[in-house]
Amino acid sequence: MCGICGVAGGDPARGRELVGTMCRTMAHRGPDDEGIEHAGGVTLGARRLSIIDLEGGHQPIHNEDSTVWVVQNGEIYNFPELRDRLIAAGHTFITKADTEALVHAYEEWGEDMVEHLNGMFAFAVLDLRLGRLLLARDRMGIKPLHYAVEGGRLLFASELKALLCDPALRKGIDPVALDEYLALEFVPSPRSMISGIAKLQPAHVLVWSLRDGSLRLRRYWTPKLGEANDSDGAGLDDRCEELRAVLLESVRKELISDVPVGVFLSGGIDSSAVAAMMSRLGGDVKSFSVGFAERSFDESRYSREVARHLGTDHRELVLEPSMLLDLIPRLPALLDEPLGDASIIPTYLLSAFTRRYVKVALGGDGGDELFAGYPTVAAHRLAGYYMKAPSAVRRGLVEPVVRRLPVSRDNLSFDFRAKRFVSGAAYPVAERHARWMGSFSPEERSAVLSAEVGEALVGTAGGLGVEGAPNGFSPERGAPHGHAPLPRERHPREAGSGQHDGLARGQGSPSQQRLRRVRHTVAFEPEAPRAAVEVPAEASTAWDPAGPHPQPAEEGFWDPCRALVSGSAPGATPVCAVT
């Protein structure tokens, strides 16, 4: 990944100095190059992790007459097609970098350029002719982009900590964001944990006028959700082939790179499907997996089985408790905001391990969201039957027994799932889902947050209220239908095993799961809360990099695409298959 930042307006000298400081703050995101450009009262900065056109892709990149400048974090996967189309339209390219396609795409289509892009990206375009600065973020919000308006200036950066280099932006905690974090275990856009700093929402563009300081936001894409159209009469085999073709093409595009590429392989359906497509496309596939000394968390046998079948060059990192504990003190520096997903720890360590062999890794994140892979989906159906049972049976027998189940330390243990199920089964489906997948319920948030924060939340826009209660703050509200809410017994491992595949077996609270593409760059620090995973090259831990050696493929191995389409397994393709 890369890091971008900029300041529009205000004192030019101060802007240049601030952008330089912000770039240094994000050096971990882009160790290969730094670029800063000041023009028209705007300073743009970029830290680059070089993946395509290693020597020629220096940023900021400009057009033929230097009236349009671009900085980008991410990758445009259809840039070869865009390049050919734009050259045919008369544009001149001076590099082979995908970022330059953004420059000429903007010249050709203006802010509608985003509708022509296939990629994961956050970028800024400075247009000196029209006197405006455009920010854009990809459809699923894989790449982060924060911004703030202060004192007639627009400031933006890939990381929150970079914006906090400006003392004027250190305005304290946003109480609504705090409430959302306690409910969801992350802070969703457009808020950040810091008052006055926002996240540009996925599939949005922001246009800032350099002339009058006005700001305009526009959403350029909305997912189409609804019933599938089966009127064409296609059967299962046809659907499997359609899925396989889309997945194969998606992986092919993401393999475009001038540096080595590997794959995070957990052995689940989604990451295994990605690895299978890489194998089909040819070449030596390097796969990487994480295992756990604690057997209830360990899924490494699945990744070894898939690696043997596909014949990948497989390496495995087995995590010991001490390795996890040693990383915890570093988390505040790694994450911009609190993140209630313990899988960030093994993912970071796996990324450090992987970085010793490749610079980019594909993965299978987002599959469970696309293909209903979480066990919660089945639990919603079960809740309908459960609520038809007589209340005397539910309240007088089932729930008291569930409350008394001994606590197990195993991953996603039966007692944890049973207690979570009965605690939310009586609520309407949307609220039930939030209670099952989130962390603190509205009643619990009312209890743990101070009266001062509660007063700040009442009447504010946003938040996660229940049935019209502002932000969930209604201390007098009880459980539905007179139920006494079960005490929330926080499972010590409920955040998941940290397996990097997003499988239901060990992913934790999927309320915070954002759809994302499969591509990861594995050189630097994690991009919280979601998206590319990158770790310091100097990170090291005492592990054996050798791992098991690839074995010949076994006959009769399951077909990932058929399993996905037929619903015979809880997993999915990466989100890139539909963007």
Side-chain angles (χ1 to χ4, degrees):
M1 63 184 176
C2 302
I4 63 172
C5 58
V7 178
D11 178 62
R14 183 187 174 201
R16 284 192 290 266
E17 180 182 3
L18 179 58
V19 168
T21 302
M22 290 195 288
C23 281
R24 289 191 293 274
T25 300
M26 298 188 295
H28 54 275
R29 300 183 69 91
D32 298 330
D33 191 18
E34 177 181 293
I36 297 176
E37 183 68 31
H38 181 83
V42 178
T43 303
L44 300 177
R47 292 291 315 198
R48 183 173 181 237
L49 179 68
S50 303
I51 304 297
I52 297 175
D53 193 0
L54 307 186
E55 301 299 326
H58 176 80
Q59 297 186 40
I61 288 180
H62 59 81
N63 65 342
E64 296 90 337
D65 61 3
S66 298
T67 57
V68 176
W69 292 81
V70 171
V71 289
Q72 182 204 191
N73 169 31
E75 186 172 339
I76 308 302
Y77 295 124
N78 65 331
F79 85 93
E81 297 92 330
L82 285 176
R83 179 188 176 93
D84 292 344
R85 184 176 176 184
L86 291 165
I87 289 175
H91 297 272
T92 302
F93 282 72
I94 60 174
T95 78
K96 297 179 181 179
D98 60 308
T99 300
E100 189 177 5
L102 297 177
V103 175
H104 301 295
Y106 176 81
E107 289 184 295
E108 187 71 16
W109 299 300
E111 68 178 80
D112 291 336
M113 63 181 288
V114 290
E115 298 173 13
H116 298 266
L117 304 180
N118 178 349
M120 56 174 187
F121 53 79
F123 62 80
V125 179
L126 172 61
D127 184 343
L128 297 175
R129 296 168 300 182
L130 297 181
R132 67 182 185 180
L133 179 68
L134 181 145
L135 308 181
R137 194 175 177 198
D138 63 70
R139 291 168 178 80
M140 293 296 174
I142 302 166
K143 291 299 182 181
L145 191 57
H146 302 76
Y147 71 95
V149 176
E150 192 280 330
R153 302 175 298 157
L154 173 69
L155 305 91
F156 68 90
S158 296
E159 293 191 357
L160 186 62
K161 65 173 69 71
L163 289 179
L164 295 179
C165 291
D166 188 341
L169 299 182
R170 301 171 190 169
K171 297 179 180 179
I173 300 297
D174 182 336
V176 176
L178 176 61
D179 182 51
E180 291 177 340
Y181 168 72
L182 292 176
L184 302 176
E185 302 180 359
F186 81 107
V187 180
S189 60
R191 296 185 183 276
S192 79
M193 191 59 82
I194 304 300
S195 294
I197 298 179
K199 301 184 183 94
L200 185 62
Q201 291 181 278
H204 277 68
V205 295
L206 179 156
V207 180
W208 172 266
S209 172
L210 304 179
R211 295 164 181 166
D212 60 14
S214 60
L215 183 150
R216 173 171 57 85
L217 287 167
R218 178 177 71 87
R219 182 169 188 167
Y220 66 86
W221 179 82
T222 302
K224 294 180 174 64
L225 304 176
E227 294 291 330
N229 181 11
D230 294 326
S231 58
D232 58 3
L236 175 61
D237 290 340
D238 296 327
R239 296 303 187 198
C240 287
E241 287 305 318
E242 289 175 11
L243 174 60
R244 186 178 288 107
V246 171
L247 178 57
L248 186 68
E249 176 64 10
S250 201
V251 171
R252 184 193 68 78
K253 287 180 178 294
E254 302 206 7
L255 288 176
I256 298 174
S257 173
D258 294 331
V259 298
V261 180
V263 59
F264 287 164
L265 178 62
S266 75
I269 296 290
D270 33 11
S271 68
S272 299
V274 174
M277 296 302 104
M278 292 176 68
S279 296
R280 173 172 291 196
L281 289 165
D284 179 27
V285 177
K286 299 182 183 298
S287 59
F288 304 88
S289 180
V290 63
F292 292 84
E294 168 57 48
R295 292 186 61 185
S296 70
F297 287 81
D298 186 50
E299 299 174 344
S300 57
R301 65 187 183 278
Y302 301 116
S303 60
R304 288 194 294 269
E305 183 179 357
V306 175
R308 283 195 299 268
H309 174 72
L310 297 176
T312 70
D313 179 8
H314 189 65
R315 291 177 172 84
E316 182 180 301
L317 167 65
V318 178
L319 299 181
E320 300 288 344
S322 60
M323 298 165 64
L324 306 178
L325 293 173
D326 290 343
L327 183 59
I328 290 176
R330 299 180 56 193
L331 290 180
L334 298 178
L335 302 175
D336 273 341
E337 296 177 308
L339 178 64
D341 186 352
S343 69
I344 190 66
I345 299 174
T347 300
Y348 185 96
L349 294 172
L350 175 64
S351 299
F353 175 65
T354 302
R355 180 61 181 93
R356 300 166 68 174
Y357 306 95
V358 299
K359 198 172 186 178
V360 176
L362 307 190
D365 296 325
D368 287 311
E369 288 83 357
L370 287 174
F371 288 86
Y374 292 114
T376 318
V377 178
H380 280 299
R381 178 175 293 181
L382 179 61
Y385 295 110
Y386 175 72
M387 291 309 297
K388 292 179 180 178
S391 61
V393 174
R394 287 185 280 110
R395 297 187 220 172
L397 177 61
V398 177
E399 293 176 11
V401 170
V402 168
R403 289 191 187 98
R404 288 168 174 78
L405 289 174
V407 175
S408 170
R409 301 295 175 181
D410 290 343
N411 182 39
L412 291 177
S413 61
F414 173 77
D415 70 284
F416 167 70
R417 288 181 283 125
K419 291 172 183 177
R420 180 61 70 92
F421 175 81
V422 299
S423 71
Y427 288 89
V429 62
E431 184 177 348
R432 178 199 309 152
H433 194 79
R435 287 172 178 267
W436 282 348
M437 306 302 277
S439 186
F440 289 86
S441 69
E443 299 83 15
E444 291 166 333
R445 302 201 305 275
S446 297
V448 300
L449 292 176
S450 68
E452 180 182 1
V453 173
E455 291 174 1
L457 288 169
V458 173
T460 60
L464 297 167
V466 177
E467 293 183 5
N471 303 292
F473 272 82
S474 51
E476 72 283 0
R477 174 180 166 80
H481 312 302
H483 280 54
L486 285 171
R488 174 72 150 77
E489 189 163 1
R490 180 75 170 171
H491 195 286
R493 299 289 190 177
E494 73 180 84
S497 71
Q499 189 63 293
H500 43 275
D501 182 67
L503 289 177
R505 290 192 298 267
Q507 184 60 44
S509 299
S511 59
Q512 58 171 282
Q513 306 280 322
R514 298 255 182 116
L515 293 177
R516 36 186 181 164
R517 282 181 176 264
V518 301
R519 182 114 174 197
H520 300 257
T521 39
V522 291
F524 295 90
E525 150 185 335
E527 184 169 278
R530 295 272 158 240
V533 179
E534 309 188 7
V535 296
E538 70 273 11
S540 63
T541 314
W543 57 62
D544 180 6
H549 296 288
Q551 301 294 324
E554 298 175 359
E555 295 297 329
F557 201 74
W558 42 256
D559 180 341
C561 290
R562 177 174 292 275
L564 290 171
V565 173
S566 65
S568 62
T573 65
V575 70
C576 67
V578 296
T579 54

